[in-house]
Amino acid sequence: MHEHRFVFGGLPSRVVFGAGSLQDLGQEVESLGATRALVLATPNQEALAQDVSLRLGSRSVGVYAQAIMHVPIDSVTRALEEVRRCGADCLLAAGGGSTIGLAKAIALESGLPIVAIPTTYAGSEMTSIYGITEAARKRTGKDARVLPRTVIYDVNLTLSLPVSVSVTSAMNAVAHAAEGLYAQHSNPVISMMAEQGIEAIARAIPALYRDPLDVGARSFAQYGAWLCGTVLGNVGMALHHKLCHVLGGSFNLPHAEVHSVVLPHALAFNSNAAPSSMEQIADSLGVSYAPAGMFDLATRHGAPSGLKDIGMRESDLDLAADLVVSQPYWNPRPVGVGQRDEIRTLLQHAFNGVRPEAMAEGFAPGRGGSA
Ligand code: NAD
């Protein structure tokens, strides 16, 4: 047994969770003292935004359904103009990480409060992390102003998320929890949430894959997404998130799919350096070897297995490896220019979509077996 030593500072947000909770929206907006909410969405989800606006009645100043993946700076400038034009005093983000990301970028500039209504499992609603893309580079940062004040999780809004997106989005969520378990400044409360989050997602994926309209499965997935998002919001992430940031940011690969493909390989790389966390992940998944368990969870439910399947070019792997090691995040197994070859090997495995077991020798993960 070892002595506990940690700092815990939970983020101040209010979470309203449950089927039909969207009906509390008006009350939630009012309790923020807001009377002029602007409803944000992607063009795809304009109908949802219109419904939300209708529910708000006179408390809505309209719908702005122009959110774009990775929050390009131009889209922020245009949205800020709209916010000023209609005199909004609150931002209502109805959608996934892209819509919540736009709300965060506006809040960073304007200080307006955000009410988030998430419809994917990405978890942005529980963090004070923002990202804005300018000149093909995504600048990220943390700011208390961008943390949504209120989050409304209504499972009914997730039923329309296509199965393939649901699975990769849930893998995106589970990646936050997995890295949270070996985070540099972790704490017991967050670790508890991470374990529960992995367990919930591991139960939800097979069930929603069988029946995407299974409200129980969807509710479990959303509960897991909340837990995993909270982990992301509270502790620092490591190599996996660095890899995904580089692959998504510099090679324009789709966000959730990249997480789904890379996670088993990042875990295999860290396996020996964080053995007790790997055990916690494996236990939560109900398997004996966490990296292979993650690989199976994704690929047995239709997720792509390799970077080659999601638009990566093999000729770009060298550059990707250079970028990952040039400005590394903290990681339990040190990563720097000295580990460039190991990272290049990891990327090759992720590119090919090899089940981590098969590369046990390369990464010396130390524990055998799989699901
Ligand atoms: P997304 O928001 O881009 O959504 C993908 C597509 O699915 C969009 O067209 C959207 O309209 C549609 N969609 C969403 N929910 C739907 C539903 N229920 N039914 C039908 N269609 C639906 O995808 P995402 O994975 O949620 O977000 C990815 C973005 O979020 C990335 O830019 C990523 O960097 C960011 N992100 C940020 C944080 C953070 O803490 N700042 C955390 C996670 C993700």
Side-chain angles (χ1 to χ4, degrees):
M1 261 189 247
H2 57 85
E3 177 215 5
H4 276 309
R5 190 176 286 263
F6 60 88
V7 174
F8 177 74
L11 295 178
S13 72
R14 174 179 164 85
V15 171
V16 182
F17 193 102
S21 51
L22 194 57
Q23 70 196 24
D24 299 339
L25 181 61
Q27 213 178 302
E28 292 298 331
V29 167
E30 250 168 45
S31 71
L32 291 175
T35 54
R36 301 179 63 79
L38 179 64
V39 185
L40 308 173
T42 62
N44 264 348
Q45 289 181 291
E46 181 160 5
L48 167 65
Q50 294 292 358
D51 175 52
V52 165
S53 177
L54 218 67
R55 282 170 189 265
L56 283 172
S58 62
R59 289 165 293 213
S60 166
V61 288
V63 164
Y64 187 75
Q66 306 290 331
I68 301 172
M69 178 85 113
H70 299 311
V71 197
I73 184 82
D74 294 352
S75 73
V76 180
T77 308
R78 286 194 299 272
L80 276 165
E81 276 163 20
E82 178 63 12
V83 163
R84 286 188 200 107
R85 193 195 62 76
C86 64
D89 63 1
C90 173
L91 304 165
L92 231 147
S98 298
T99 301
I100 297 168
L102 175 63
K104 287 176 163 182
I106 299 171
L108 187 66
E109 194 70 33
S110 65
L112 292 183
I114 300 172
V115 175
I117 306 170
T119 62
T120 69
Y121 307 128
S124 178
E125 65 280 0
M126 294 311 299
T127 84
S128 53
I129 306 165
Y130 63 85
I132 299 168
T133 304
E134 192 167 7
R137 284 201 158 242
K138 195 162 181 178
R139 169 170 62 90
T140 59
K142 267 191 178 184
D143 195 301
R145 277 175 301 180
V146 312
L147 179 74
R149 301 274 188 90
T150 305
V151 181
I152 298 177
Y153 285 105
D154 187 334
V155 66
N156 295 331
L157 306 181
T158 64
L159 300 179
S160 57
L161 193 63
V163 179
S164 58
V165 187
S166 303
V167 172
T168 53
S169 186
M171 292 304 298
N172 181 188
V174 101
H176 309 324
E179 289 228 302
L181 280 168
Y182 53 67
Q184 187 178 17
H185 301 297
S186 195
N187 65 68
V189 176
I190 290 301
S191 296
M192 217 157 56
M193 295 183 94
E195 286 179 275
Q196 283 262 307
I198 296 171
E199 219 174 290
I201 297 282
R203 274 181 67 180
I205 286 181
L208 69 82
Y209 184 69
R210 265 194 309 276
D211 179 6
L213 299 180
D214 177 344
V215 175
R218 290 286 190 180
S219 179
F220 243 88
Q222 206 175 28
Y223 173 61
W226 167 60
L227 292 165
C228 295
T230 304
V231 174
L232 175 68
N234 280 276
V235 295
M237 295 288 116
L239 175 66
H240 168 76
H241 281 74
K242 176 69 192 185
L243 286 160
C244 293
H245 191 89
V246 165
L247 292 167
S250 301
F251 303 98
N252 204 26
L253 303 190
H255 178 82
E257 283 97 322
V258 171
H259 274 273
S260 188
V261 167
V262 170
L263 183 61
H265 306 285
L267 293 183
F269 184 90
N270 282 336
S271 195
N272 263 359
S276 62
S277 305
M278 290 301 151
E279 233 164 275
Q280 288 171 306
I281 298 167
D283 286 351
S284 303
L285 289 173
V287 301
S288 58
Y289 180 48
M294 286 295 183
F295 184 88
D296 294 341
L297 183 62
T299 58
R300 285 181 185 165
H301 301 104
S305 59
L307 294 174
K308 64 178 169 28
D309 307 317
I310 60 170
M312 184 73 182
R313 288 190 313 209
E314 195 164 11
S315 55
D316 282 336
L317 293 178
D318 282 327
L319 174 59
D322 292 341
L323 291 171
V324 169
V325 301
S326 67
Q327 278 185 314
Y329 296 178
W330 177 90
N331 191 57
R333 179 174 165 187
V335 173
V337 282
Q339 285 71 42
R340 197 258 179 208
D341 289 350
E342 285 119 291
I343 295 296
R344 176 65 178 80
T345 307
L346 182 165
L347 284 166
Q348 188 68 49
H349 288 307
F351 181 83
N352 296 342
V354 184
R355 192 168 184 267
E357 227 183 358
M359 53 185 194
E361 227 173 83
F363 290 126
R367 303 178 76 210
S370 69

